[in-house]
Amino acid sequence: MKRHAMHYQDALVEAIREAAAHLLSEDVGPGDITAQLIPETQWATARVITREPAVLCGVAWVEEIFRRLDPSVRLRWSAADGDRLEADQCFLELEGPARILLTGERAILNLLQTLSATATRTRHYVDLLEGTGVRLLDTRKTLPGLRLAQKYAVTCGGGHNHRIGLYDAFLIKENHIAACGSIAAAVKEARSIARDLPVEVEVESFEELDQALAAGADIVMLDNFSLDDMREAVKRNAGQATLEASGNVDETTLRQIAETGVDCISSGALTKDVKAIDLSMRITELRNT
């Protein structure tokens, strides 16, 4: 798995560069015409605050955006990725050409409000699981173009990445099983393709659970099992494989699911439908250079 971890780190660095370039391209285009109203010689100081409690995420993206716009912009962070922010807290002060600060404003706020939303929801869910020992996992249900960014945000909130994409773990679902002929055949084929990658099987019944365990699956996903059925699955498993609960997961059910004895819980809600954090940037000082 070491080579996949290295690939992830390299891919994340490249994703930050690509996201910054894309955000500026779609917003600035050939040039910020409104910023031209401001004299080139005008220098500004600005503050970014959150209007609501949040968990911060997106520092590296903001730094890359302003690096591309103008490396002379100075960023002073009073919080780091993963830190909790209180309502009305200033967490970033910027100093540089007024034109540049205003040109970059929307790009950085769009990014920060989205990634911080994922980190914030994740932290909320992690807090609900406190004391259970159950790990919270994300899914591939991410916003288009923000896969690695949101996966990173989940870790900032205290969660764990399930798998990054289709290349770093096997997840054998109903259609895979049908195409291969059986759970046993699918697991056997996965082992022959890549013995160093984890093999997970999604099951919808106790019969499929027993088959997945007999086939030697590393992880078994209990898809939409009732709480009573999850408890029974834990007994049948008896520590043979990692048990993951999936389906009908929200803040009202999370703790109950964890208390059945499963090892981890996955939730698409961490990434696919988060509500952006309310952030704002305000100029606090202007001067001519």
Side-chain angles (χ1 to χ4, degrees):
M1 290 299 290
K2 184 176 180 181
R3 61 190 172 94
H4 296 283
M6 292 175 62
H7 170 78
Y8 168 73
Q9 292 300 329
D10 292 342
L12 181 60
V13 170
E14 184 58 31
I16 292 170
R17 296 188 184 120
E18 291 177 355
H22 179 71
L23 286 168
L24 292 175
S25 174
E26 71 178 4
D27 201 28
V28 181
D32 181 354
I33 59 173
T34 310
Q36 294 176 31
L37 302 173
I38 303 168
E40 285 188 273
T41 58
Q42 195 163 66
W43 199 263
T45 301
R47 303 168 76 241
V48 179
I49 67 170
T50 176
R51 300 294 189 186
E52 58 185 314
V55 173
L56 178 62
C57 183
V59 169
W61 284 263
V62 173
E63 292 181 343
E64 178 65 15
I65 285 169
F66 279 112
R67 186 191 70 79
R68 289 172 177 270
L69 284 171
D70 188 336
S72 71
V73 173
R74 292 193 288 271
L75 307 176
R76 292 187 290 272
W77 298 92
S78 57
D81 283 345
D83 285 352
R84 294 182 189 264
L85 304 174
E86 301 298 328
D88 299 320
Q89 178 179 339
C90 171
F91 59 90
L92 171 61
E93 290 187 341
L94 310 92
E95 186 176 354
R99 283 187 176 187
I100 298 299
L101 297 191
L102 294 176
T103 294
E105 175 184 5
R106 181 43 53 194
I108 69 164
L109 292 182
N110 284 350
L111 195 287
L112 286 169
Q113 69 188 16
T114 302
L115 297 191
S116 295
T118 291
T120 301
R121 178 170 291 180
T122 303
R123 181 65 58 81
H124 176 54
Y125 278 23
V126 168
D127 288 345
L128 291 174
L129 289 172
E130 185 176 1
T132 66
V134 173
R135 293 185 302 138
L136 179 66
L137 307 178
D138 56 22
T139 71
R140 287 168 47 242
K141 297 175 182 177
T142 52
L143 299 178
L146 286 178
R147 168 67 57 81
L148 291 184
Q150 283 195 294
K151 290 280 187 178
Y152 170 75
V154 165
T155 66
C156 289
H160 300 266
N161 297 150
H162 184 276
R163 57 175 177 161
I164 303 304
L166 296 172
Y167 55 85
D168 59 331
F170 292 97
L171 179 47
I172 300 168
K173 298 189 176 186
E174 180 181 7
N175 288 332
H176 300 106
I177 295 168
C180 291
S182 68
I183 288 175
V187 172
K188 182 179 180 181
E189 183 64 17
R191 297 295 188 200
S192 71
I193 292 171
R195 298 192 63 84
D196 63 326
L197 294 182
V199 176
E200 178 169 4
V201 178
E202 180 183 78
V203 302
E204 298 177 346
S205 67
F206 290 130
E207 181 182 1
E208 290 183 345
L209 170 63
D210 292 341
Q211 291 173 16
L213 294 176
D218 300 305
I219 309 164
V220 178
M221 179 190 292
L222 308 176
D223 183 37
N224 288 301
F225 273 42
S226 69
L227 294 175
D228 285 341
D229 284 351
M230 286 184 204
R231 283 187 277 268
E232 175 61 24
V234 170
K235 291 180 183 178
R236 293 192 181 206
N237 179 52
Q240 297 176 73
T242 297
L243 288 187
E244 173 189 337
S246 178
N248 299 314
V249 177
D250 60 31
E251 62 183 353
T252 66
T253 62
L254 193 65
R255 184 84 187 188
Q256 292 175 304
I257 294 172
E259 289 173 347
T260 65
V262 296
D263 300 293
C264 48
I265 301 172
S266 58
S267 173
L270 303 180
T271 52
K272 71 187 177 87
D273 57 1
V274 292
K275 180 179 179 294
I277 300 299
D278 187 5
L279 306 176
S280 68
M281 188 180 97
R282 291 289 182 266
I283 297 291
T284 58
E285 182 183 350
L286 289 167
R287 64 183 184 278
N288 289 320
T289 57

